[in-house]
Amino acid sequence: MMMTREGLFSRLATLETPRLILRRLTMADAADIFSYSSDPEVARYVLWDAHRTIHDSRMFVRFILHQYRADDPSSWGVVLKQTGRVIGTIGFMWWNIENRSAEVGYSLARAYWGYGITTEALFAVLRFGFERMRLHRVEAQHAVENGASGRVMQKCGMRREGVLRGRLFSKNQFMDVALYAILEEDWRAMTRPTEAQWRR
């Protein structure tokens, strides 16, 4: 049975992994978000510009809160259990209910790159997509220069389907992106990764 949208994002469930809590964002998270979103390296391959002031981060949180209220696809804050701080976001960019498909995207503070944090978070979100949203297909894309993001997708069982030339216009130039996807049958068949594999 296909999931309907009613209430799924307006009452966004909290997800937990060995090292993380994925939860709704609040205005109190703006300072944490600014601490990493102001880093030009974090913003280098994404569609948004590095935050210049805390006001930019507050505006971002307000946008996410609006998405919650509208019950539209939106993001979780990625909270590191060890510190209780928001160190990134991950969530759905869009959701096509008729075709049971969606796209996921994420960003993470540079201090936590290379430790399997994003892989751990993405795995939890894929589980939510297939088990709670009843998705058949989940897509993700990354700038072709950002190979590390592709490795995250691969670790979660996503397959590279090709390169979309000039797919996005960002930072005054057209960007080639690599497209990845995972189907429900892929998800059901895959061997669940361990924390040690996430860290590789």
Side-chain angles (χ1 to χ4, degrees):
M1 183 178 69
M2 184 170 63
M3 173 69 76
T4 61
R5 183 170 294 183
E6 293 181 2
L8 196 62
F9 288 96
S10 62
R11 297 187 296 271
L12 190 64
T14 297
L15 311 180
E16 187 171 352
T17 73
R19 294 177 290 174
L20 307 171
I21 294 174
L22 309 186
R23 62 159 173 79
R24 292 169 58 107
L25 290 174
T26 72
M27 286 305 301
D29 298 319
D32 283 352
I33 291 170
F34 179 69
S35 70
Y36 70 83
S37 294
S38 56
D39 182 347
E41 281 301 303
V42 172
R44 182 177 181 185
Y45 296 117
V46 296
L47 298 181
W48 45 269
D49 293 324
H51 294 188
R52 296 184 178 181
T53 69
I54 188 69
H55 175 73
D56 294 333
S57 300
R58 289 175 181 145
M59 289 296 293
F60 168 74
V61 175
R62 288 190 184 102
F63 169 76
I64 296 297
L65 295 179
H66 172 77
Q67 297 295 97
Y68 295 154
R69 289 192 297 270
D71 201 23
D72 287 336
S74 51
S75 294
W76 287 265
V78 178
V79 178
L80 187 66
K81 288 181 180 179
Q82 187 176 12
T83 64
R85 297 187 62 184
V86 173
I87 60 170
T89 59
I90 187 168
F92 290 99
M93 307 297 101
W94 51 263
W95 176 14
N96 185 307
I97 294 178
E98 181 180 3
N99 293 311
R100 293 174 57 194
S101 60
E103 180 186 352
V104 67
Y106 44 77
S107 61
L108 187 73
R110 180 158 42 135
Y112 298 97
W113 292 357
Y115 295 98
I117 295 291
T118 308
T119 307
E120 190 171 327
L122 177 57
F123 191 82
V125 170
L126 289 175
R127 178 187 289 123
F128 181 88
F130 288 118
E131 296 181 0
R132 295 287 302 280
M133 297 167 68
R134 303 284 195 263
L135 294 175
H136 173 69
R137 173 184 170 92
V138 179
E139 299 179 5
Q141 56 185 329
H142 68 81
V144 293
E145 297 86 358
N146 188 12
S149 188
R151 288 190 290 275
V152 168
M153 298 168 192
Q154 290 170 357
K155 288 177 185 177
C156 287
M158 305 187 83
R159 300 183 188 179
R160 180 169 167 143
E161 296 188 337
V163 173
L164 307 178
R165 297 179 302 150
R167 175 73 170 86
L168 300 172
F169 186 76
S170 178
K171 300 175 176 63
N172 298 313
Q173 63 180 354
F174 286 100
M175 179 188 302
D176 294 348
V177 301
L179 177 66
Y180 284 73
I182 181 171
L183 302 182
E184 183 179 12
E185 52 261 39
D186 302 329
W187 171 260
R188 302 295 179 194
M190 72 180 289
T191 301
R192 299 298 183 255
T194 64
E195 184 175 332
Q197 290 171 314
W198 284 333
R199 292 172 181 267
R200 291 176 188 169

